[in-house]
Amino acid sequence: MSALFALLMIIILLLISIIGTEVLGLNYVFGVIIPYAAIALFLVGFVYRIIRWANSAVPFKITTTCGQQKSHPWIKHSSLEAPHSTWGVIGRMALEVLFFRSLFRNTKADLKEGPRLVYGPSKWLWAAGLVFHWSFLIILLRHFRFFAEPAPFFVSGLQSLDGFFQIGLPIFYITSVAIVAALAFLFVRRLNDPKLRYISLGSDYFALFLILSIAISGILMRHTGLRADIVDVKQLAMGLVSFHPNVPESIGVMFFIHLFFVSVLFGYFPFSKLMHMGGIFMSPTRNMANNNREKRHVNPWDYPVKTHTYEEWEDEFRDVMKAAGMPLEKEK
Amino acid sequence: MAEKMITPEELAGGIDYKPKKKTWLDPTVEFKKGTWNYAAPPQNLEYLDLPNPRKWSPIDEDWKLPDNWKEIILEGLRVRIKRFRSLQLFMDICVRCGACADKCHFFIGSGDPKNMPVLRAELLRSVYRKDFTTAGKIMGKMVGARELTVDVLKEWFYYFYQCTECRRCSVFCPYGIDTAEITMIARELMNLVGINIEWICTPAANCFRTGNHLGIQPHGFADSIEFAVDELEELTGIKVDAPINKKGAEILFVAPSADYFASPHYYTLLGYLALFHEIGLDYTWSAYASEGGNFGLFHSHEMMKRLNAKIYAEAKRLGVKWILGGECGHMWRVIHQYMDTLNGPADFLEEPVSPITGTKFENAKNTKMVHIMEFTSDLIRNNKLKLDKSRNDHWHPTFHDSCNPSRGMGLIEEPRYVIRACCNQFTEMPENTIKEQTFCCGSGAGLGTDENMEMRFRGGLPRANATKFVHDCDGVNILLCICAIDKATLPPLLEYWVPGVEVGGIHEMLGNALIMKGEKERTTDLRGEPLAGVESEEEKTEEEVSEDA
Ligand code: HEM
Ligand code: SF4
Ligand code: SF4
């Protein structure tokens, strides 16, 4: 149901881009205005979100420790799982961001006869997640060949690595295949696992479908008869970044579909769970050092509270304490 | 209530990890007997100046909420979003990847999908979406947004009191989303309109008034310490000194109150007393700060601060140099992660140094409170203790990492070091069930009540099941732990799932093994049970001890 809803949204988006360019001929709107609006929305929204998060306080140091604390010198301290210093925290965050360290721990609980609980390793989510994200990043970086002349230095390196297998013409990139496969896996996983299906919202499927649509439209453009002319694309892209936009006549519908999906992704990004990209860096259970008893942490909104002072306490219990011969501050 | 308790076979047989309903958006819950906790009585709320004191029960139709309850909660949520970046972020960035889903002991033991951490969080997140996000306002249920209704509130009560704030989910979440944090804040919100449970508010009120959860008055506290001293003399032939409220002592010792009033905690207390005597520690107990545990943690950040304040205040009044803390789980979450921020800086204390070994506890130099496992492991490392491991040969222990020391502190190897020094036998449970991946006892965070027994058995299943594994395979017969709630709640849990395994503290093992100068020949352990190789002579001693404790 949620998946169907998300699919419907994607179809509507697809139709909008086709009708908008093919029927209504709004090439300038789809080639220039919407991309600009999307980028603007992305930048403003992203910054707004980060500022909003940053404005909310971090009253306590609530690191989740996943290893041995630093205590005695003769006990091996786990500097990446329970980091004690800023460098440790940076290392821990790098492992999380680059390699999804925590996801790598994933297990699957099973209840067998007995009852006997077993926890098997479960790395598929980690693997598919990693493949998807890295492919996404590489594909994104590869696109810089459209936005700069000459193409930035890293692009050709990435391209030749990515096209290592030299299959097809134009050469098929490994990441093109990988991202579609990974996204397909993540989608099937949501449908297949009853627990996952239960927790998945329309917006969860929507994000997957949207990125999948981008990937597929891109691949179709590169490898089928619906090819877009690279020269045209580069002309449009360079125009956009240099703020002298013009839309070449010969650009085909497939390109507009691709560009429109990308625009939607950018515009949607700051208002969705995709903001985990920024959020992961700010997560207090991961980005704080486990040195609580060594370095003071101040709560910016701390306020005085009503306590039960020693004096009040002794006043209440003086008689019984006296009878028991316990030391007192005041005899009466 | 015992007469109709579900059997282990029925319980395990009924667990199904496949959700039965199509959607979780419907908030109706059935308050099934054995799965929820009694409401807090009005007089305790009054004593603590908490809102909306009244008599009510979760199974009542009408919860007697204030008319503007909804505004109060939404306003409370708005304030807390500003105050806690954790909350704000955790509301926004969950991708529902499901990595946390089967990591929660309550889900594993119940199969109830709303016990998946991600869904527990969604219960609050859905309301957040509705009132605090544009998408939620426009798209409603399609993006998982829900109106806050009385039914939603009842659902919150049910599920946020089925979370023991153990943080296991947070270990596995790729963003570190800590559902415990969400539960803590959701409970704060419910407290604003007077929704709370007895086993949190009553101990909190007691602790506020007398200094400990049990409401023991100062002379009663002195009595029980005195009693333990006598008991230890009977067992070892040595009369130890256990000063209370002694000004000018070097160290203030704070333990959870159950240590001096409940069993099997009591044997750990005997262990402390023996140890402190043997090393000649200049220390004192306090009757005012006679509770290390802090049920305020399960109530609100404010209540945690109100109760915790006593420890530093008392350290200051007594003029000690630093503070030593006993075996307790959530107590140590508060001390390690909160105390200094809440009630510090403790600039009137000195950086802790062990008077016996001269070791500086660098890692505690600001908070100035040292965990007894850090303290004792240092003593053993420096050969300051004479230990006869064979006195524990009748025990084959395994170690249960309590949630808070492992995931809120990283105290993992110190206790193991002490166990190995005190016992010849020691077997670890399977690796996915210990250390940072440890499973909760299922009864923490205020949920350890009799009326909640079925839920406790469910939540404790993963822990008990791992214990059963080493019991069956290796002959483990005691589960050691360093937490007062564990010591109180694991015995009935093991009785239910793995009869034949006892529960004990590490300082109990230490007390057994510790060779004290001038002691009489020991024929029994601190429980009065005969040592291995010693003829079991008197049944009587055993009975006496358990009665007294
Ligand atoms: C610092 C950058 C980022 C990090 C560290 C990161 C990390 C993660 C992790 C750990 C997951 C959970 C596992 C998974 O499902 O793969 C995830 C999920 C996801 N991420 Fe990212 N991410 C980042 C940036 C992005 C960006 C830029 C996008 C998209 C434009 C994105 C889209 C997604 C989507 C759609 C999911 C959900 C997958 C599903 O439904 O199963 N992420 N991310
Ligand atoms: S593991 Fe984290 S991101 Fe994934 S569903 Fe659970 S809380 Fe959300
Ligand atoms: S903190 Fe523990 S009890 Fe609470 S949801 Fe997470 S795993 Fe479950």
Side-chain angles (χ1 to χ4, degrees), chain B residues 266-439:
Chain B
Y266 187 67
Y267 312 114
T268 294
L269 169 66
L270 298 181
Y272 302 146
L273 292 174
L275 173 70
F276 297 159
H277 167 86
E278 190 54 27
I279 59 175
L281 197 68
D282 176 17
Y283 81 108
T284 181
W285 294 83
S286 160
Y288 169 65
S290 53
E291 177 66 82
N294 188 330
F295 272 43
L297 173 69
F298 312 141
H299 181 279
S300 59
H301 289 84
E302 182 172 314
M303 190 60 68
M304 168 167 48
K305 176 167 168 149
R306 290 172 69 183
L307 300 184
N308 175 262
K310 292 187 179 192
I311 297 182
Y312 275 155
E314 185 68 340
K316 190 168 186 176
R317 185 184 76 86
L318 294 174
V320 300
K321 287 189 181 154
W322 55 275
I323 312 168
L324 183 63
E327 294 185 7
C328 188
H330 75 285
M331 154 178 170
W332 272 98
R333 172 107 206 264
V334 176
I335 289 164
H336 184 70
Q337 297 203 320
Y338 295 100
M339 176 155 87
D340 184 70
T341 305
L342 291 172
N343 291 308
D347 39 21
F348 47 88
L349 297 176
E350 290 176 19
E351 290 182 14
V353 176
S354 169
I356 317 303
T357 64
T359 299
K360 277 193 184 158
F361 297 99
E362 291 279 346
N363 64 328
K365 69 177 180 197
N366 187 54
T367 300
K368 286 138 180 150
M369 186 150 175
V370 175
H371 194 289
I372 191 149
M373 280 303 144
E374 296 166 341
F375 181 76
T376 304
S377 58
D378 171 65
L379 291 173
I380 296 172
R381 175 80 181 184
N382 287 289
N383 291 319
K384 299 293 180 192
L385 304 180
K386 281 211 195 66
L387 299 168
D388 177 358
K389 292 187 188 191
S390 71
R391 288 189 197 165
N392 278 318
D393 279 353
H394 57 307
W395 292 123
H396 183 156
T398 189
F399 179 58
H400 161 64
D401 290 89
S402 308
C403 310
N404 289 294
S406 66
R407 289 185 281 261
M409 194 177 173
L411 186 93
I412 290 174
E413 294 304 330
E414 295 87 343
R416 291 180 163 77
Y417 184 81
V418 178
I419 295 172
R420 289 201 176 92
C422 297
C423 304
N424 279 316
Q425 316 181 73
F426 173 54
T427 303
E428 292 274 18
M429 287 178 278
E431 64 169 338
N432 291 120
T433 70
I434 55 169
K435 302 188 177 174
E436 76 279 0
Q437 299 197 18
T438 187
F439 276 109

Side-chain angles (χ1 to χ4, degrees), chain B residues 103-106 117 120 163-169 179-180:
Chain B
K103 306 303 177 286
C104 177
H105 48 284
F106 281 117
R120 199 187 309 289
C163 165
T164 43
E165 306 181 357
C166 79
R167 312 182 91 203
R168 191 170 193 266
C169 45
T179 307

Side-chain angles (χ1 to χ4, degrees), chain A residues 84-97:
Chain A
H84 169 265
S85 64
T86 309
W87 281 112
V89 171
I90 292 173
R92 184 184 207 191
M93 290 304 300
L95 284 184
E96 291 290 1
V97 172

Side-chain angles (χ1 to χ4, degrees), chain B residues 28 57 106 109 131 180 217 248 250 259 302 341 471 486 529 535:
Chain B
T28 20
S57 164
F106 281 117
D131 287 277
Q217 300 196 0
E250 182 172 357
D259 282 3
E302 182 172 314
T341 305
H471 173 65
D486 285 338
E529 288 178 26
E535 284 299 298

Side-chain angles (χ1 to χ4, degrees), chain A residues 96-98 100 103 125-126 128-130 132-133 136 183 186-187 189-190 204-205 207-208 211 265 269 273-274 276-278 280-281, chain B residues 95-97 174-175:
Chain A
E96 291 290 1
V97 172
L98 300 177
F100 301 181
L103 208 53
L125 171 62
W126 171 81
L130 211 57
F132 155 59
H133 282 84
F136 188 94
L183 284 165
L186 291 173
F187 168 62
R189 178 176 168 270
R190 278 196 189 279
D204 297 322
Y205 294 108
L208 288 176
I211 300 169
L265 178 66
F269 197 97
K273 69 171 193 179
L274 299 178
H276 65 274
M277 175 178 168
I280 188 170
F281 293 95
Chain B
V95 296
R96 281 164 301 283
C97 69
Y175 318 119

Side-chain angles (χ1 to χ4, degrees), chain B residues 145-160:
Chain B
R146 293 190 308 177
E147 189 85 40
L148 178 59
T149 61
V150 171
D151 282 336
V152 169
L153 193 64
K154 291 185 173 180
E155 185 192 35
W156 281 10
F157 176 83
Y158 194 68
Y159 290 105
F160 288 122

